[in-house]
Amino acid sequence: MSANAQELYEMLRKVQEPKGYCFNEDKVRVMELLEALIKNKERYGYMCCPCRLASGDRDRDKDIICPCVYREPDVKEYGSCYCNLYVSKEWNEGAFDRPYVPERRPPEKMF
């Protein structure tokens, strides 16, 4: 885990937890995703979702800049975002099954 990923973790945690979004309890997974977000920022200039293909066009990708616009409905319905980076407290506590989170991004935005 890089110092940059740890710094990003702390910064995002402070901002997102008061909004009701926790990081996945699997810290190894979280750090891998944060490293990928940092890599995408270096590559594209913005932190786009590491679990989706970005176009490199910020306007086209604005829906997948983390936290993506799909996070709220995903966490509300499934307890987790598509990547399993952001989850609800109940998800981390194992209060319910952890179903697969389907892709909400419209197909026309993926290509």
Side-chain angles (χ1 to χ4, degrees):
M1 146 179 46
S2 74
N4 289 341
Q6 187 61 44
E7 288 174 24
L8 183 58
Y9 177 91
E10 293 301 327
M11 182 192 71
L12 292 175
R13 186 183 59 76
K14 288 177 187 171
V15 171
Q16 300 302 326
E17 281 185 0
K19 296 177 183 178
Y21 298 102
C22 303
F23 280 125
N24 186 327
E25 65 186 350
D26 181 349
K27 193 149 185 190
V28 172
R29 170 85 173 138
V30 168
M31 288 301 153
E32 289 171 351
L33 290 167
L34 293 178
E35 292 281 0
L37 283 171
I38 291 167
K39 180 62 95 181
N40 281 346
K41 177 149 179 140
E42 293 167 0
R43 183 179 292 144
Y44 303 114
Y46 50 94
M47 290 194 306
C48 53
C49 176
C51 300
R52 295 178 167 107
L53 292 175
S55 70
D57 177 338
R58 187 182 183 98
D59 285 336
R60 184 170 175 80
D61 293 338
K62 66 184 175 186
D63 63 321
I64 59 168
I65 295 175
C66 188
C68 73
V69 300
Y70 311 107
R71 177 187 68 171
E72 185 177 346
D74 284 349
V75 173
K76 186 175 186 177
E77 186 172 349
Y78 299 102
S80 171
C81 72
Y82 183 68
C83 294
N84 301 135
L85 176 63
Y86 289 108
V87 300
S88 67
K89 181 180 172 193
E90 295 79 16
W91 194 91
N92 265 344
E93 292 172 348
F96 51 86
D97 288 337
R98 295 178 177 176
Y100 171 77
V101 179
E103 175 63 90
R104 288 184 191 266
R105 193 173 199 212
E108 64 272 9
K109 290 198 151 219
M110 293 187 216
F111 303 103

